Amino acid sequence: MGTAVTHGIQVTARARFEPAHSDPKAARHIFSYRISIRNTGDGTVQLLRRHWFIRDVLDDPREVEGPGVVGETPVLAPGEEFSYSSACDLRGAFGRMDGFYLMRRLSDGVEFHVRIPRMQLVSSLASN
């Protein structure tokens, strides 16, 4: 689990290997992750976009970018939190992912990046 605070936005990221959905012999390792985003600042913000950097020991690095998260662009007033779960697949048994969100402060329209802390992705089936 990792936590980062950028511009008053706290992001906590936690990843978990999902053996029931993985098949190491087919080079398919599935990891679920849970992200919590808390506005610890004093202005209301909206999450606009996500940008992930995914590194896989057996594959080229890749980037995933797009609007919102899990189909939402949440608005967070001071003290509010938004959490969501998603998943990532790797060919190899080891990897990592991190990235950033593009957020907008609603009071003045200023956009800024918020860091997503690095998650280590490690398969418990790596030695099988």
Side-chain angles (χ1 to χ4, degrees):
M1 181 172 78
T3 299
V5 179
T6 313
H7 299 292
I9 307 301
Q10 176 182 303
V11 179
T12 302
R14 180 176 329 164
R16 185 175 80 192
F17 176 62
E18 298 292 344
H21 301 287
S22 299
D23 183 356
K25 291 181 174 106
R28 183 169 167 82
H29 298 84
I30 305 298
F31 298 85
S32 64
Y33 59 88
R34 179 134 181 102
I35 304 285
S36 295
I37 305 164
R38 175 176 291 280
N39 183 352
T40 64
D42 50 6
T44 300
V45 299
Q46 182 174 22
L47 188 154
L48 302 174
R49 301 186 71 77
R50 72 192 180 289
H51 195 122
W52 286 103
F53 301 99
I54 303 168
R55 289 140 187 109
D56 183 333
V57 71
L58 292 182
D59 208 353
D60 292 330
R62 65 186 177 190
E63 295 183 39
V64 175
E65 192 273 336
V69 291
V70 295
E72 297 188 48
T73 54
V75 173
L76 299 170
E80 289 186 334
E81 182 173 314
F82 176 81
S83 296
Y84 71 96
S85 297
S86 192
C88 173
D89 66 303
L90 298 181
R91 287 187 59 232
F94 304 97
R96 67 180 189 255
M97 62 188 290
D98 58 7
F100 62 87
Y101 297 119
L102 177 64
M103 309 280 283
R104 178 186 307 136
R105 196 168 46 229
L106 296 187
S107 63
D108 58 11
V110 170
E111 294 181 357
F112 57 95
H113 289 145
V114 171
R115 187 169 78 85
I116 305 168
R118 178 173 292 164
M119 293 181 281
Q120 297 297 330
L121 306 175
V122 180
S123 166
S124 61
L125 303 176
S127 61
N128 294 346

